[in-house]
Amino acid sequence: MNEDKEKIISEAVEKALQGEMDAINNIEDRVTRSKAKAALVKAKRAKAVNDEDSIKEDDTSESKVEEKINFNQTVCQKISEKFPESIDAEQNDDWIQVKPENWLKIAKWLKSDEKLYFDSLQCNTGIDLGEGVLESRYNLHSMKHLHKVEIRIKISAEKPDIPSVEQVWRVADWFERETYDMFGINFIGHRDLRRILLPDDWEGWPLRKDYEEQETYHGIVVPKVKEGWE
Amino acid sequence: MGVVHGQEMVLNIGPQHPATHGVLRLQVKTDGEIISEITPYMGYLHRCFEKHCENVTYEQVIPFTDRCDYLASMTMNFGYVVAMEQLMEIKVNDRVEYIRVIMAELQRIASHLLGIGAFGLDLGAFTPFLHMLRDRERILDIFEMTCGARLLYNYMWVGGLSHDLPTGFVEATLNFLDYFEPKVDEFENLLGHNKIFVERTADIGTMPAEVAISYGVTGPNLRGSGVKWDLRKDDPYSIYDRFDFNVPVGKGMKGTVGDCWDRFYVRIQEIRESVKIVRQAIDQLPKDGDVHQAMPKKIRPPKGSIYRRTESPRGDLGYYIESDGSDTPYRLKMRSPAFTALSVLNEIGAGWLMSDVLGILGSLDIVLGEIDR
Amino acid sequence: MKRYFTDIFESISSILGGMGITLVHLFRARNDNVTLQYPEEKWPRPERNIGFDHSNYNVIRSRLHVDMDDCIGCLKCERACPVDCIKIVTEKAPARGEDIKAIKHKGITAKGTRKALVVTRFDIDMSECCYCNLCVYPCPEECIYMTGGPNAKKHPIDYEFSEPDRSDLIYRFAKKGTKDGLEKINAEQEVGA
Amino acid sequence: MTVDFLFDFLSELFADLVGSGPVLIISMLIPCLMLFGFITIYALIVIYAELKISSFIQDKVGPMGQGVGLHAGKWGLLQPIADALKLLLKEDIIPSRADKPLFILAPFMIFIGAFISFVALPFGESIIIADLNIGLFYILGVGSIAVLSLILAGWSSNNKWSLYGGMRSAAQIVSYEIPAGLSLIVVIMLAGTLNMQDIIRYQAGGIFSWIFFDNPFVPIAFVVYFISAIAETNRTPFDLPESESELVAGFATEYSGMRYAFFFLSEYANMFVVSAVAAACFLGGWHSPISGFMDSPAWGVFWMISKTFFLIFIMIWLRWTLPRLRVDQLMNVCWKVFLPVALINIFGVAIWTVIFNQ
């Protein structure tokens, strides 16, 4: 019975390699579809590996750095054409500064666009840059094309609102809850935004630079008390 | 938890429970034995790792990274050290690289042993757990021989190692590997192919590949779902490209791809791969080379930030280090693989029976120290 | 229907296989054993089944010990400690490098450096120490070290130092009476001068 | 040692002094006290055996009496006594919102269930406390008291985990009594009586006259009986009611001290009862394997106890090898595997005896 399953998978993968993904999506049986997807990923990786061999003649380290820069620029140009004035600060090679307004639309597009296909959000870091400026940084990565990019969004500490990308990458659900828990950045549209590591009724945002811990929490003295030491 | 229907019962698989691998509370809505919704509550083991790191110097961060994932602290040091060396563009000599790979792979074996043992314990098999702890004890002896400690090592420093290998290290490790190789097959027969174990794990908690990628699950859990993603091969760091080892992937031998049995079997195969790597690393180990040679006197990385991922036994361990030029990190974020593995529990665990949900939790192999940081 | 019988056959064969393995272990329990009969066999492990001698460790983790005669009060260990469990207070020595009999202060260390400071207080809170060994490396005189292992000659291993009261775990290494002894000497000098 | 033998003996001595009533009570009391002594000694031995066997299987050495002062004796021999003392001295906590009378009653009921089924067990030629002519039927009937007490314990401790444990044990024990009973019918068909002593006398003569080797169907019946007996005493792989890793401690979560000791003791007593019944019905009770050799009544006790201990060893050995079954798999195995096999067995034995009309 599973010979013809192998056959369906292999020709679905061929069709998907030419780029139209729905060849795989319309396999109705869930198991074969996930097997086809895995086979596709393997095929893609095999194709990607022999592409790299072809360009391996010139020394990789130097080309890798410069290839990373222009890759960043290409992504940045793509975003600015698609969403006109969403690029925030000046352009540089390591990350892309984006305005918070239409970040959700950019995220959806980054994930669905064929050539970029950022399907996994690796890490979301909150950071307090001092003088009331908070920043949320997203490291995105594509399992298919094996390239990665870092996107940063600056917001003011008084009105820390960023659209939540929880629907786009499900991992963002907990990442954003942790950033909210530590920095107080509230992510608009997050279905279940509450503290994840600290108790729900803890005051203050611990990782902000201007944070002082509260004296007592439910009657328990918070700062460390040690007798016989000073 | 929303409204609770008539016959549904809210049950706290509470912080003190034998099967939660640490201090984790699963608030669960059950109807008889069938669990309809799981909400994990964490934070009981939160020790403000990231706040601490903002007040200690770069060398002093290493003992804190040990204590995040206390079952694989060698790989936690390794991740931090690789990130720092890339930030400061330090190149360590080959002997240090080889010792680091040997230590990281031995730690991977030890961590997988405990992960599989605890998984078997959740399903009621006591003996394999103790056999695996017995072998893990031998690996801890090897670690104790080199850095004195058995669980939290503070062995890998930025730019080198704290101590060189003692005399007799190579023989001790080779004895261990020869003793250990047949034991892995014994585990596979005693636990893996046991019909009751297969009955309890095959086709249970299946995690399709897209769900795994979208939930950011990485490591053996992701490879169990059929996606061939291993940082040691796909985003190589240190000298992993000098060793040939293959990346085991779940093939659904006893059920569908991505069920508990696959995650278990991927870990067993990974132990075998790690043994292969350690053997190759030992016979390519260069004799000369000082381990303190590339260590900067005062660690002051240039202004800037870096995000570097390494392969810990539980998945992608990422360090995001933002330095402002001083000798204490401005911001240090650790992306913990077990954190994302736990987030997928509700997605793949809802709808199964009580004993299966605890089996699925065991198969995800989470460590609460790393989740709560 | 076929699956029904294969299930039964599989379960019987795998259960019997599993029991075979455990039976073998039942009779060979001794040789793979790793348990340590604690009071009789003490850590560091006898070389019973690891095959190396623990005297050629190059580092060990146990209680910290300080040889006060060699300590020049440079505070390097206090700065290196990630959990700030070392507290040192030093006073200027009346004369550089001379012994002071009254407070048993040795002027010259084992390495021959002449001491300029008298360490009046050297406390290590062993209940806070995280045994990371970071304080041992920067010490120029190698006077702070973890007992046992490579420095077993200087101080035998000691990891059984549990106390009923936490504050008893604060080890005060400074010699008794240095503080007030020093004040008395300084007072005499003012009177003398 | 039957009660009536003792009654005649005593009534001759004291008949004139005192009425026959008290003599009857005394002659019943003495065997019960001896039985109680036997159970406690047996419990210490089997706790020590389980401790040591499980340690050896797990490549450990178990308590070896190391250390100074009060310790577990040479080779850990004092460990069971230490456990018993600890359980005696430990504080008995009764949860405030627990159903107090039922909470206190449950451990006694489970111990009574195990204790009174000892009465009909044949230990030797004439060493049996009550030689009932429906011995086997009586043991099966009394064995089901344990179910009631487990549900009672589960319900009365007012704790979700013990409720789970109680419900699971009710489903498990009740449904596993059926295959156990059906596989014993095979023995009754061959031996023709319910009386335990007659079943054993039927198996007189060497090892090949035991019921186990009577015809090819009986070994299957023995395996079915033995496995459902394991399920009845809540031992792995069927120890769902008090599975440590899921239900904290199942029905026994809220119990501590002496009450917990009763649950513990009755589990081991039940283990002895079911293996003694298996030994008596299938393995020739107090007959020695070689007919002439060591066959006197005194040796009978030795044979009976050694066969029972061998079966207990297998139970302990199974416990430390296999993982635990899930609840629905447990039911599945009982109703879809054991029941049909037991029924076919009865059918097979019937045809076999008709054809070969022993």
Side-chain angles (χ1 to χ4, degrees):
Chain A
M1 191 275 286
N2 52 27
E3 294 78 22
D4 54 3
K5 224 161 49 158
E6 298 315 333
K7 200 159 50 52
I8 302 170
I9 293 176
S10 47
E11 26 102 342
V13 165
E14 258 69 45
K15 280 218 262 356
L17 278 180
Q18 280 89 30
E20 22 105 30
M21 278 296 286
D22 47 25
I24 289 187
N25 293 346
N26 54 31
I27 303 175
E28 62 303 320
D29 167 17
R30 206 160 57 80
V31 173
T32 38
R33 193 173 65 236
S34 63
K35 279 206 172 83
K37 277 246 170 65
L40 170 70
V41 168
K42 258 198 244 64
K44 260 285 191 280
R45 181 148 304 119
K47 194 166 72 61
V49 161
N50 45 44
D51 290 358
E52 257 152 33
D53 300 343
S54 58
I55 57 164
K56 228 172 191 59
E57 291 75 25
D58 52 11
D59 54 319
T60 52
S61 63
E62 191 273 327
S63 75
K64 204 167 245 359
V65 169
E66 158 257 312
E67 173 226 298
K68 181 166 181 309
I69 293 172
N70 56 39
F71 168 73
N72 235 307
Q73 255 115 26
T74 49
V75 175
C76 193
Q77 265 121 29
K78 282 211 184 70
I79 293 180
S80 47
E81 304 140 19
K82 202 88 165 61
F83 303 90
E85 75 308 322
S86 67
I87 297 296
D88 197 353
E90 78 305 336
Q91 173 44 253
N92 58 20
D93 45 22
D94 277 348
W95 64 82
I96 300 169
Q97 202 70 35
V98 173
K99 284 208 186 64
E101 282 70 28
N102 39 31
W103 160 233
L104 184 55
K105 283 199 289 303
I106 297 174
K108 282 206 178 78
W109 174 69
L110 280 177
K111 177 163 188 184
S112 55
D113 176 77
E114 191 34 51
K115 268 187 274 324
L116 295 174
Y117 197 77
F118 286 110
D119 57 355
S120 93
L121 164 66
Q122 276 303 324
C123 170
N124 163 27
T125 320
I127 189 161
D128 175 357
L129 296 175
E131 307 103 21
V133 174
L134 294 177
E135 190 171 50
S136 165
R137 301 176 177 179
Y138 299 83
N139 293 83
L140 301 173
H141 171 78
S142 157
M143 289 282 189
K144 229 165 73 160
H145 308 309
L146 293 182
H147 49 235
K148 44 182 184 262
V149 81
E150 181 172 324
I151 292 183
R152 298 187 180 185
I153 300 174
K154 266 207 180 65
I155 32 167
S156 73
E158 294 75 28
K159 202 176 69 51
D161 299 340
I162 297 181
S164 150
V165 286
E166 185 226 344
Q167 268 80 7
V168 182
W169 299 287
R170 290 295 302 130
V171 70
D173 179 1
W174 278 23
F175 277 160
E176 283 169 355
R177 271 179 65 189
E178 189 190 346
T179 315
Y180 163 73
D181 190 354
M182 292 297 160
F183 285 92
I185 305 171
N186 58 42
F187 292 88
I188 310 152
H190 193 290
R191 278 171 293 189
D192 172 20
L193 195 64
R194 46 184 168 77
R195 286 187 180 264
I196 193 166
L197 290 180
L198 294 174
D200 291 348
D201 51 4
W202 188 268
E203 296 111 27
W205 313 109
L207 276 181
R208 285 197 183 175
K209 293 297 176 190
D210 53 8
Y211 168 75
E212 310 93 31
E213 57 203 20
Q214 51 197 44
E215 267 317 306
T216 64
Y217 172 70
H218 288 298
I220 311 159
V221 176
V222 170
K224 190 168 86 171
V225 168
K226 208 165 96 172
E227 72 289 345
W229 182 239
E230 277 332 313
Chain B
M1 282 302 287
V3 75
V4 179
H5 309 298
Q7 77 285 16
E8 281 204 341
M9 178 169 84
V10 175
L11 188 67
N12 276 326
I13 304 183
Q16 296 86 13
H17 184 79
T20 48
H21 291 246
V23 198
L24 159 75
R25 177 160 73 97
L26 296 176
Q27 194 166 39
V28 153
K29 251 164 64 185
T30 64
D31 163 17
E33 287 270 347
I34 298 152
I35 288 183
S36 50
E37 193 197 333
I38 309 164
T39 339
Y41 284 87
M42 308 167 298
Y44 294 93
L45 205 54
H46 177 57
R47 297 154 295 179
C48 334
F49 163 70
E50 284 155 8
K51 189 75 176 174
H52 267 305
C53 289
E54 285 169 12
N55 306 328
V56 284
T57 66
Y58 283 98
E59 307 89 4
Q60 294 170 339
V61 163
I62 296 176
F64 286 104
T65 58
D66 277 344
R67 280 152 177 81
C68 279
D69 182 351
Y70 39 79
L71 294 181
S73 34
M74 207 55 103
T75 41
M76 304 297 287
N77 292 359
F78 199 17
Y80 173 73
V81 154
V82 162
M84 283 304 292
E85 276 156 15
Q86 188 165 339
L87 185 65
M88 297 167 69
E89 278 102 20
I90 299 174
K91 186 78 194 67
V92 281
N93 60 36
D94 266 3
R95 181 168 169 84
V96 172
E97 291 285 11
Y98 275 98
I99 295 176
R100 280 185 182 164
V101 165
I102 295 171
M103 288 298 161
E105 290 312 313
L106 282 175
Q107 180 71 86
R108 192 182 312 281
I109 297 173
S111 159
H112 277 329
L113 281 180
L114 201 119
I116 299 169
F119 178 42
L121 199 62
D122 290 349
L123 303 178
F126 294 96
T127 323
F129 179 66
L130 284 142
H131 287 181
M132 291 177 183
L133 281 189
R134 170 204 67 206
D135 296 342
R136 183 169 177 272
E137 199 67 21
R138 290 194 183 331
I139 298 179
L140 299 189
D141 291 343
I142 295 176
F143 285 152
E144 176 203 326
M145 198 167 88
T146 45
C147 50
R150 295 178 71 84
L151 194 69
L152 309 169
Y153 310 110
N154 182 20
Y155 179 61
M156 297 188 189
W157 287 2
V158 180
L161 301 165
S162 69
H163 285 268
D164 206 332
L165 296 179
T167 58
F169 172 83
V170 174
E171 292 76 25
T173 320
L174 288 178
N175 303 343
F176 164 69
L177 292 179
D178 304 339
Y179 151 83
F180 181 63
E181 207 106 52
K183 292 288 190 262
V184 184
D185 313 334
E186 187 187 291
F187 295 147
E188 210 186 316
N189 299 336
L190 180 60
L191 194 59
H193 298 302
N194 183 323
K195 184 64 181 153
I196 298 178
F197 182 81
V198 168
E199 205 64 37
R200 283 290 304 272
T201 50
D203 290 336
I204 286 166
T206 45
M207 175 157 66
E210 326 67 44
V211 166
I213 294 176
S214 133
Y215 269 87
V217 172
T218 51
N221 302 333
L222 181 63
R223 289 191 282 277
S225 306
V227 177
K228 196 177 176 64
W229 173 253
D230 185 334
L231 279 174
R232 295 173 292 181
K233 286 247 190 229
D234 298 328
D235 189 352
Y237 54 95
S238 170
I239 46 168
Y240 273 108
D241 39 26
R242 295 187 197 165
F243 306 109
D244 76 335
F245 61 97
N246 47 40
V247 175
V249 168
K251 298 185 196 54
M253 280 158 63
K254 298 266 168 129
T256 56
V257 178
D259 55 11
C260 288
W261 198 86
D262 270 357
R263 290 189 277 274
F264 159 81
Y265 197 59
V266 159
R267 288 200 178 89
I268 289 256
Q269 285 173 309
E270 260 180 33
I271 288 183
R272 293 204 178 99
E273 295 312 316
S274 298
V275 168
K276 253 173 27 185
I277 295 177
V278 174
R279 275 197 198 283
Q280 290 164 31
I282 279 197
D283 49 43
Q284 296 166 19
L285 181 66
K287 296 291 169 290
D288 51 3
D290 161 25
V291 288
H292 304 295
Q293 170 245 343
M295 255 197 267
K297 284 290 152 290
K298 196 78 191 93
I299 299 182
R300 279 188 192 287
K303 208 162 145 48
S305 73
I306 182 161
Y307 178 66
R308 181 64 219 173
R309 299 174 306 188
T310 50
E311 183 68 27
S312 95
R314 276 164 194 77
D316 285 11
L317 167 71
Y319 278 91
Y320 191 99
I321 305 171
E322 163 90 22
S323 89
D324 58 357
S326 74
D327 63 357
T328 61
Y330 184 77
R331 167 81 166 107
L332 189 140
K333 152 99 174 151
M334 193 199 80
R335 185 255 194 219
S336 120
F339 187 75
T340 48
L342 186 62
S343 66
V344 89
L345 181 64
N346 188 20
E347 179 83 18
I348 58 176
W352 291 100
L353 290 175
M354 159 86 78
S355 13
D356 290 337
V357 167
L358 294 170
I360 294 166
L361 184 66
S363 77
L364 291 173
D365 186 12
I366 54 169
V367 168
L368 262 299
E370 180 183 23
I371 291 178
D372 294 345
R373 285 180 296 276
Chain C
M1 197 46 193
K2 198 172 73 60
R3 182 129 175 67
Y4 179 77
F5 289 110
T6 49
D7 265 359
I8 295 179
F9 174 71
E10 242 174 54
S11 40
I12 292 172
S13 60
S14 65
I15 288 175
L16 290 180
M19 284 166 75
I21 292 174
T22 35
L23 189 68
V24 164
H25 277 280
L26 187 63
F27 297 112
R28 273 181 41 245
R30 267 269 181 237
N31 63 3
D32 288 350
N33 182 336
V34 281
T35 40
L36 203 61
Q37 304 296 345
Y38 170 61
E40 273 82 23
E41 295 162 357
K42 288 222 171 143
W43 180 82
R45 305 176 56 75
E47 57 290 339
R48 178 179 43 167
N49 45 24
I50 316 154
F52 66 86
D53 180 9
H54 56 74
S55 60
N56 58 30
Y57 275 28
N58 47 24
V59 71
I60 193 104
R61 300 288 175 89
S62 57
R63 186 172 64 82
L64 275 169
H65 183 76
V66 181
D67 294 340
M68 282 317 292
D69 301 342
D70 298 344
C71 173
I72 59 171
C74 63
L75 306 181
K76 279 202 172 108
C77 51
E78 184 177 355
R79 275 195 296 274
C81 176
V83 288
D84 311 335
C85 73
I86 300 178
K87 190 71 75 193
I88 303 173
V89 172
T90 57
E91 301 258 333
K92 208 173 140 358
R96 185 182 175 80
E98 269 86 26
D99 298 359
I100 306 168
K101 294 287 165 301
I103 47 171
K104 297 193 286 300
H105 166 71
K106 268 174 87 242
I108 305 202
T109 67
K111 288 205 161 163
T113 52
R114 295 146 53 81
K115 284 195 201 169
L117 298 172
V118 173
V119 179
T120 54
R121 177 184 179 217
F122 195 120
D123 297 353
I124 298 181
D125 182 352
M126 283 316 287
S127 71
E128 296 240 338
C129 167
C130 69
Y131 299 95
C132 61
N133 221 343
L134 277 175
C135 51
V136 170
Y137 305 111
C139 178
E141 306 298 324
E142 275 130 23
C143 68
I144 183 170
Y145 50 84
M146 289 205 171
T147 54
N151 29 42
K153 291 180 293 307
K154 291 194 255 178
H155 193 288
I157 194 158
D158 167 22
Y159 53 84
E160 294 141 325
F161 52 94
S162 52
E163 299 282 344
D165 176 5
R166 230 172 82 104
S167 51
D168 293 349
L169 275 176
I170 298 175
Y171 282 72
R172 305 185 195 285
F173 286 102
K175 292 196 168 74
K176 289 275 172 305
T178 357
K179 193 155 182 43
D180 34 40
L182 205 57
E183 265 137 25
K184 208 151 38 23
I185 294 166
N186 295 350
E188 275 147 21
Q189 253 144 19
E190 271 97 31
V191 164
Chain D
M1 282 301 288
T2 58
V3 175
D4 34 35
F5 162 77
L6 203 61
F7 179 68
D8 312 342
F9 173 73
L10 282 177
S11 49
E12 278 145 28
L13 278 104
F14 305 105
D16 44 9
L17 281 166
V18 86
S20 68
V23 172
L24 180 64
I25 293 168
I26 293 166
S27 60
M28 270 195 270
L29 210 59
I30 291 172
C32 288
L33 286 179
M34 284 174 57
L35 187 64
F36 194 75
F38 169 74
I39 288 182
T40 36
I41 295 161
Y42 152 73
L44 292 182
I45 293 167
V46 88
I47 289 173
Y48 181 72
E50 170 131 43
L51 210 59
K52 279 295 176 181
I53 291 169
S54 67
S55 306
F56 287 155
I57 283 183
Q58 289 159 358
D59 281 348
K60 299 188 292 185
V61 188
M64 287 301 279
Q66 68 277 24
V68 289
L70 205 61
H71 56 66
K74 201 86 190 65
W75 300 307
L77 282 170
L78 299 182
Q79 182 69 29
I81 298 160
D83 280 351
L85 266 179
K86 174 204 81 174
L87 284 176
L88 271 172
L89 301 179
K90 220 163 153 187
E91 186 208 357
D92 255 348
I93 303 160
I94 300 180
S96 57
R97 292 244 299 278
D99 188 337
K100 210 179 279 304
L102 297 184
F103 188 83
I104 295 165
L105 185 64
F108 295 135
M109 253 175 70
I110 196 168
F111 187 68
I112 290 166
F115 189 65
I116 47 178
S117 53
F118 267 80
V119 165
L121 286 184
F123 287 99
E125 190 80 38
S126 63
I127 306 165
I128 183 169
I129 294 173
D131 190 355
L132 309 168
N133 49 22
I134 51 154
L136 196 56
F137 187 68
Y138 165 82
I139 292 174
L140 274 182
V142 154
S144 63
I145 291 183
V147 186
L148 296 181
S149 68
L150 289 183
I151 303 170
L152 216 58
W155 173 257
S156 66
S157 6
N158 194 1
N159 160 342
K160 287 177 183 160
W161 299 115
S162 28
L163 189 64
Y164 264 104
M167 293 310 130
R168 281 187 182 178
S169 66
Q172 172 181 333
I173 296 179
V174 164
S175 60
Y176 269 94
E177 267 173 15
I178 296 162
L182 287 178
S183 51
L184 283 181
I185 287 175
V186 165
V187 172
I188 297 161
M189 271 160 52
L190 291 174
T193 94
L194 274 170
N195 185 331
M196 296 297 277
Q197 296 290 27
D198 296 347
I199 294 176
I200 295 176
R201 283 188 200 100
Y202 167 82
Q203 300 172 45
I207 188 166
F208 293 104
S209 68
W210 289 352
I211 292 188
F212 188 83
F213 300 100
D214 208 318
N215 59 39
F217 288 100
V218 177
I220 302 170
F222 173 75
V223 166
V224 168
Y225 172 76
F226 189 65
I227 293 178
S228 38
I230 291 177
E232 247 168 73
T233 52
N234 294 345
R235 298 274 310 176
T236 309
F238 304 99
D239 70 345
L240 278 144
E242 18 95 8
S243 58
E244 290 76 18
S245 63
E246 282 147 33
L247 304 181
V248 184
F251 55 83
T253 317
E254 293 299 336
Y255 285 90
S256 65
M258 199 48 205
R259 288 198 183 79
Y260 185 74
F262 271 116
F263 280 114
F264 215 73
L265 200 60
S266 62
E267 184 191 328
Y268 285 118
N270 265 337
M271 243 166 77
F272 186 87
V273 166
V274 283
S275 10
V277 164
C281 298
F282 291 95
L283 302 176
W286 30 261
H287 285 302
S288 84
I290 303 115
S291 57
F293 170 67
M294 286 208 298
D295 214 345
S296 69
W299 277 111
V301 177
F302 163 74
W303 287 117
M304 182 63 187
I305 300 258
S306 62
K307 285 174 195 164
T308 318
F309 270 15
F310 172 67
L311 290 176
I312 289 175
F313 164 73
I314 292 182
M315 280 196 191
I316 295 175
W317 179 15
L318 263 176
R319 172 168 188 188
W320 301 102
T321 325
L322 299 176
R324 194 177 295 121
L325 273 174
R326 214 179 39 203
V327 180
D328 56 333
Q329 289 164 345
L330 187 84
M331 291 303 139
N332 186 340
V333 165
C334 171
W335 294 101
K336 289 195 187 128
V337 177
F338 282 166
L339 203 55
V341 165
L343 290 173
I344 293 163
N345 236 332
I346 295 169
F347 194 66
V349 167
I351 292 175
W352 188 276
T353 44
V354 160
I355 293 167
F356 294 97
N357 52 31
Q358 258 126 355

